[in-house]
Amino acid sequence: MNKIKNIGIGLLAVVALSMGSCSKDFLDEELTTKYSTEYFETAEGLEALTVSLYGNIRWHFGYEWAYGITLYGTDEFTNANDLTNEMWNTYDSRLGPIGATTSTGAANGNATSPNALWNEMYYGIASCNTIIANADKIDDEDVRNRCLAHAYFLRGYNYYRLTAQYGGVVLQTEPASGVVRNFTRSTEEECWAQVISDLRNAYDYFEGEVYTYGKGITWTKATAAHFLAKALLFRASERCDDWNSSYKQSDLEEAIDACSYAITARGGKLTDNYSDLYANWTGVDCDIEQLDEILMAAGHNADSSTSGRFGNRTYNYFTPQFSNFSGSWVKRGVWIGGMDFQRCRPTEYSYEVYDHVNDARMWKTFKTVYGVNNVADATAGIEAGDPGIVMILNTKDDHTYDSYTFGASKQAPNWTDDAGRLPEWTVGSRQTETSGSLTAETGQWVPNSLVLYQNGEYVASSFTSQPICNFFAGINKTDDGSRTAEKGDAHRDVTMARLAETFLVRAECYVRLGNYSSAMADINVVRARAEWKSGENRSYYSDGSQAFENNSLNTGSSAEKYIYSNLNMNTYYLSNPDLEVTTEASSLELTSFPSVLPDEDEAIMTAIGASSDYERALNFILDERSRELLGEWQRWETLSRTGTLITRAKAFNAEAAPNITAGKHELRPIPQTFIDGLLNDDGSNLTEAQKEAWQNPGY
């Protein structure tokens, strides 16, 4: 261990940042940064500082790091034609301790630095340390316990995020007392012990299920239980196998108990309709933000205090570059819930992991139809409100579209008049939940169309605008039609934990203990919600664009563009062309696990070489996590934890495969800015050898 000194950030600056980034979703009082540090050693100040902790988690969704450090470089998402954070996906030489700038090869000045998470998590930890150290100054026991519960929870959560990304980090659990500190880099084992201790303390201090500082989901005992279970599972997982043998059994058993508490505390069931989690968002603080299934969310609303640098920017990252497609038939604007920044392009795996017929989550998640809102050529026979972009998510064994051509260059933004036309189809009027259609019969031409497969080959990635594909079906979990400017902040909360994951965490614990029947029962709870229910219109689609119906900008031409752009339809029947229109219920129930798995999972097991019962069961849960949690900000962490990152990225992410390296890329580089600021006890600079000892292997 290296014991060194560093020039610390003054506590006042830390507290000011924490207070200044708070969300009024959880607050009934005015926030200010005018207080001295002594204020935060009073009962009133400590309670105010506790409230401010909710602001720290909003950082995660305020900029490009939201996807760069959580989703890129995995089996689920790769980069599209925008290369802002390309290095986090490709694992090339620009992903290093100093970070990438335009002078070192970054596409622009927005690339995420390795120090982004490091710095922000320690800001939050500093506030927590102040609360914990001074809690005895709060006479009211209920208030004191509430403050301690929140402080232990956020400190545990922040150290969880740090350890998951970097491995061993600096454990600082006392308030700063000056600008010079001795720091020791703790081992990963020591860090997980601290995370688990903090989350156990939070679990013990939280009593009851509701602490309300204002409108919105707040942290509760169930929240602490969920993350305690995740931390225990992490310590019992493959990345820690060099040292975790003495913990595994007890950690898995405790994690199961923690999951069981969280599940029971939230009524033991999931929200009935998967669309209610994301797609049916209708505006600021709407009912779906208060669902019992949500265990933790970063709070945002229309108040100016939730805007700015760490406002919600996530609506930018999952949408293809539709405004540049052939003919410019679809113009972007606040009436469409997502900006077409084309950051996160789904891999073939992310489409093929679903049962395209029976899994409603696929069709309630992927946006596959855009309506024409800009009639660029009146001679083309296309009117406003006709489908202008259609994504056909067919399967490898579908040959309906084998004979169709897409132009010599296969460039989606450069279709020719004739070569780019797919079958004509009948298009019903704007969809409702019970009526409307988009079926493959003679009818209307659609100028921009994508298919996944021709002749059994994956061709979606061939629809390119140099150098990389930018024509893909994006996901809708962040769409927000409440924005008051095209590039303004989103106003919806960002879900960070929910009960479906708790069931899957418990299932994985059962798998690791060899209890496959209990694991299957938990998995089936999640899959039951994913089934089509009797009477559902399978071609109906919705997303957060519908919040525009309550937007003050919803007048005149903007109102027309909203109606024309959002047709509430998907391509379910075009993508499953042999299927008759039906409103029957579907089934996804597992009856044998893990010896017999669904066809889509068997294909994945073959691709990654998973053969033993344990490998098949673990990887099935990873598949189920994709189906349930696609794009929910934790895939890199999950694959690193389970020792599957390298195998899955090489198998399913063509951009990541050439460079990703075992023994290196399971951890992130320690920020060079931090290492360069370290001093020895005698005040001298670290030698190059000492600096190297601080760095993770391979960087």
Side-chain angles (χ1 to χ4, degrees), residues 363-420:
W363 303 103
K364 294 177 179 181
T365 297
F366 285 102
K367 185 178 181 74
T368 58
V369 178
Y370 291 81
V372 171
N373 62 28
N374 179 50
V375 181
D377 182 359
T379 67
I382 298 175
E383 298 179 357
D386 290 341
I389 301 169
V390 169
M391 314 282 190
I392 298 174
L393 308 184
N394 63 334
T395 56
K396 186 176 294 188
D397 59 358
D398 173 49
H399 297 283
T400 304
Y401 307 105
D402 287 356
S403 62
Y404 293 92
T405 59
F406 304 94
S409 64
K410 294 187 177 178
Q411 293 181 340
N414 296 293
W415 294 82
T416 61
D417 185 42
D418 295 319

Side-chain angles (χ1 to χ4, degrees), residues 636-678:
W636 185 92
E637 162 201 308
T638 300
L639 298 188
S640 175
R641 170 179 66 80
T642 55
T644 59
L645 176 65
I646 309 300
T647 298
R648 281 180 165 253
K650 283 185 174 292
F652 303 122
N653 188 328
E655 285 69 37
N659 295 323
I660 192 169
T661 303
K664 176 181 180 180
H665 289 129
E666 296 93 339
L667 296 175
R668 305 303 198 185
I670 303 296
Q672 196 65 38
T673 50
F674 172 79
I675 295 176
D676 287 344
L678 301 175

